[in-house]
Amino acid sequence: MPKLTYDILKNRDFRFLLLTQMCTAMALQAQAVIVGWQVWSLTHNMFLLGMVGLIEAVPAIISALFSGHVVDTNRPHRVYLLCLSVMALNTIVLLVFAGGHMAVPFGDVLYWIFAGVFISGIVRSFAMPSAFSLMAQIVPKEQMSGAAGWRSSALQFSFVTGPAAAGLIYGGYGAGVAWMFPTALLCVATFTIMALSEHPRRFKNPKRPETAAQSIKAGWKFILGNNVLLAVMALDMFAVLLGGVVALLPAFADTVLKTGSEGLGLLRASPAIGSILTALILALYPMKQIRTSLLLWMVAGFGVSMICIGLSTTFIMAAFFLAVSGAFDSVSVVIRGTLMQWLTPDAMRGRISAVNSMFIISSNEIGTFRAGVMGSLMGVVPSILLGGVGTLVVVAATLFLCPQLKTIVINADGKKP
């Protein structure tokens, strides 16, 4: 039996970075539940639920074109701290106006919610590469797999508690109190990231002679020249873009399962229940080898789970299959995260992570728009079913275009056996 891997938790900076990311993830998940339920309550329009994703995706993708260059030419800690500060301020504004604590100026509260989502999209495109770069300065490569497992466990814990708490608070006390929850969490995250030691706070990549355009081009050239990295990122992007059901959960909970905001919060938390158990096992018993063939099976399992969710007629069935989808996703997250850390040179971490953030944002937020549009045209259940089938098609297409994914095996030290 492998030895339990607690060693990484002795790393003080890793613990503070983990706490920061936990609070941030919990806040963003809570915010997503509050925004989704407010938009649905105000409009009962699935297209507008989808528009939430598009409004966040467009600025995030545009910003991600140069956010990696900014991170790679500045101190990642400074960029991350600024991102968290802006997130906290943005949520305070939403607390005041969307929470109903002050009269809304300049029109409907919906405009303020969409404006907050727009700002969040911009900030997230800088937060992801800066956090990715910080992780590499804090965790040695030989401990990266274990760190990825602990990080995934912590994030999944946030994905459970954030939505569930937000849904319960919203159902019991309304939007005014619910918005206080993500606001407090982001304020805590802003302070905990300041507690890192001097090295990660002051780390800065050496200056390079190339222009910003050349720097961005170099990042894209590296990814396009690495078939494995590109295939792994594209697989995740298209699978979630087509298969994700999160955007439709407010409508699904209301019209199919006949539950309120409390039920929505628990449904949003269900994938994380499966993920956190799986990720905890992977943290305590890290993979000795990373196999890309396993990644293909996990994404296929995610697609089958989506189909089962669409066929669910009770709250228990839907919550169970959402949890199963989270378990599959947890394994794929650890594999993808470990591969990215191993395959990315230190000097390009910001740019590569920024490109990866474009893929993630495209999958999550444009996937939200896709789901909203299809839901409004076809209905919520057919949209979910078709998305699950689309995920299976993506797995087959990825295997056809990049057949080496069947055979790649990398040891825990980052070397091929």
Side-chain angles (χ1 to χ4, degrees):
M1 182 175 290
K3 182 181 178 182
L4 298 183
T5 306
Y6 293 102
D7 288 347
I8 188 61
L9 296 181
K10 298 176 184 177
N11 186 325
R12 175 185 176 277
D13 286 332
F14 176 72
R15 294 198 305 270
F16 275 111
L17 180 60
L18 199 63
L19 179 59
T20 300
Q21 292 188 299
M22 276 181 62
C23 290
T24 304
M26 196 181 300
L28 293 177
Q29 289 294 314
Q31 185 171 308
V33 168
I34 298 168
V35 167
W37 195 254
Q38 273 199 291
V39 171
W40 178 252
S41 298
L42 290 169
T43 67
H44 283 83
N45 188 318
M46 280 187 280
F47 178 77
L48 288 179
L49 281 177
M51 281 298 297
V52 172
L54 187 64
I55 288 170
E56 186 168 10
V58 171
I61 292 171
I62 294 173
S63 300
L65 290 171
F66 56 87
S67 63
H69 170 76
V70 172
V71 172
D72 280 342
T73 54
N74 288 277
R75 293 194 177 107
H77 178 268
R78 181 177 294 174
V79 177
Y80 195 33
L81 176 59
L82 180 60
C83 289
L84 292 173
S85 301
V86 174
M87 283 184 189
L89 181 61
N90 184 47
T91 311
I92 289 171
V93 173
L94 288 172
L95 166 64
V96 171
F97 295 118
H101 296 286
M102 286 184 62
V104 178
F106 312 117
D108 197 310
V109 67
L110 205 61
Y111 300 139
W112 284 86
I113 293 173
F114 283 156
V117 170
F118 183 89
I119 293 170
S120 178
I122 296 174
V123 177
R124 282 180 58 194
S125 69
F126 289 88
M128 293 176 69
S130 55
F132 183 79
S133 294
L134 272 177
M135 178 74 84
Q137 300 309 313
I138 290 171
V139 179
K141 278 193 173 183
E142 61 271 15
Q143 292 184 306
M144 197 59 73
S145 179
W150 280 111
R151 178 180 178 274
S152 182
S153 297
L155 294 182
Q156 296 305 334
F157 173 80
S158 300
F159 296 164
V160 170
T161 54
L168 291 172
I169 295 170
Y170 197 121
Y173 303 99
V177 177
W179 273 110
M180 294 180 183
F181 181 53
T183 302
L185 288 167
L186 286 169
C187 289
V188 170
T190 303
F191 285 104
T192 54
I193 198 61
M194 298 179 188
L196 296 185
S197 63
E198 186 174 359
H199 170 69
R201 282 192 292 109
R202 295 188 176 278
F203 170 77
K204 181 180 179 181
N205 283 310
K207 290 185 178 181
R208 292 179 300 276
E210 71 260 37
T211 64
Q214 291 171 330
S215 174
I216 294 167
K217 182 180 178 181
W220 276 98
K221 184 177 180 181
F222 177 83
I223 289 176
L224 295 176
N226 191 313
N227 291 338
V228 174
L229 193 59
L230 179 62
V232 167
M233 292 166 65
L235 173 65
D236 176 60
M237 179 183 77
F238 287 108
V240 177
L241 190 154
L242 293 174
V245 300
V246 170
L248 295 176
L249 285 182
F252 190 70
D254 186 30
T255 61
V256 177
L257 304 180
K258 308 300 181 182
T259 185
S261 63
E262 299 91 339
L264 171 63
L266 293 174
L267 288 174
R268 284 291 299 256
S270 293
I273 294 173
S275 293
I276 192 171
L277 295 175
T278 307
L280 186 58
I281 293 172
L282 294 175
L284 295 175
Y285 302 96
M287 296 180 188
K288 299 299 183 182
Q289 292 181 327
I290 296 295
R291 297 177 179 271
T292 49
S293 59
L294 180 61
L295 176 64
L296 293 168
W297 281 109
M298 293 301 102
V299 177
F302 178 83
V304 173
S305 300
M306 295 301 107
I307 295 173
C308 293
I309 292 164
L311 296 174
S312 299
T313 55
T314 67
F315 179 86
I316 296 298
M317 285 178 62
F320 172 76
F321 286 115
L322 281 165
V324 171
S325 75
F328 284 120
D329 188 55
S330 180
V331 179
S332 65
V333 164
V334 171
I335 295 174
R336 292 195 314 270
T338 306
L339 280 172
M340 280 195 61
Q341 289 286 359
W342 283 343
L343 298 176
T344 304
D346 286 341
M348 301 186 75
R349 290 191 181 276
R351 283 165 288 174
I352 302 307
S353 180
V355 175
N356 185 52
S357 75
M358 292 179 64
F359 281 69
I360 292 173
I361 292 165
S362 296
S363 64
N364 290 330
E365 315 312 337
I366 295 182
T368 295
F369 178 67
R370 188 277 314 166
V373 171
M374 288 183 63
S376 64
L377 294 175
M378 304 171 56
V380 61
V381 172
S383 176
I384 294 173
L385 293 174
L386 188 59
V389 173
T391 299
L392 297 178
V393 172
V394 166
V395 173
T398 303
L399 186 56
F400 176 77
L401 295 172
C402 189
Q404 60 262 47
L405 287 182
K406 292 188 296 184
T407 58
I408 294 173
V409 180
I410 301 178
N411 287 330
D413 57 5
K415 298 179 181 178
K416 292 185 178 180

